[in-house]
Amino acid sequence: CFCRIPQERLIFNYYLDGKKVKEIIELTGTKESTIRFHNRNIYSKLGVNSLKQMLLYAAVMKQENSKDSENRE
């Protein structure tokens, strides 16, 4: 994964699972500003500029992972 920082990987995985920012704040026990900080780092690594673009990327990635799983069966 592109996320070498465990907290960024955790947050991105929550997005992959369809979680919203407020849910992630509750699950991680972090402040919104901390989530925004990690989001910006994730955006930079993915080459996107917004939460919307990151969520679209996450949706595509999730779909690709589902297809890969189906092909292995």
Side-chain angles (χ1 to χ4, degrees):
C1 181
F2 61 91
C3 297
R4 298 200 187 277
I5 298 172
Q7 193 72 2
E8 288 177 9
R9 181 185 304 259
L10 177 67
I11 290 168
F12 187 72
N13 285 336
Y14 280 138
Y15 285 121
L16 282 177
D17 291 339
K19 302 284 188 245
K20 304 293 182 198
V21 174
K22 289 185 181 192
E23 293 172 300
I24 295 170
I25 290 168
E26 290 176 16
L27 290 166
T28 59
T30 58
K31 295 179 182 179
E32 186 175 349
S33 60
T34 303
I35 298 296
R36 279 191 256 135
F37 172 79
H38 288 302
N39 283 353
R40 283 192 301 271
N41 289 337
I42 296 168
Y43 299 166
S44 175
K45 292 173 184 179
L46 293 178
V48 300
N49 298 308
S50 68
L51 181 58
K52 185 175 181 177
Q53 288 178 342
M54 183 173 69
L55 294 175
L56 179 60
Y57 182 96
V60 169
M61 189 173 175
K62 186 174 182 177
Q63 187 176 25
E64 289 294 319
N65 288 340
S66 294
K67 285 180 184 178
D68 288 344
S69 295
E70 289 173 6
N71 290 337
R72 287 187 210 136
E73 294 176 359

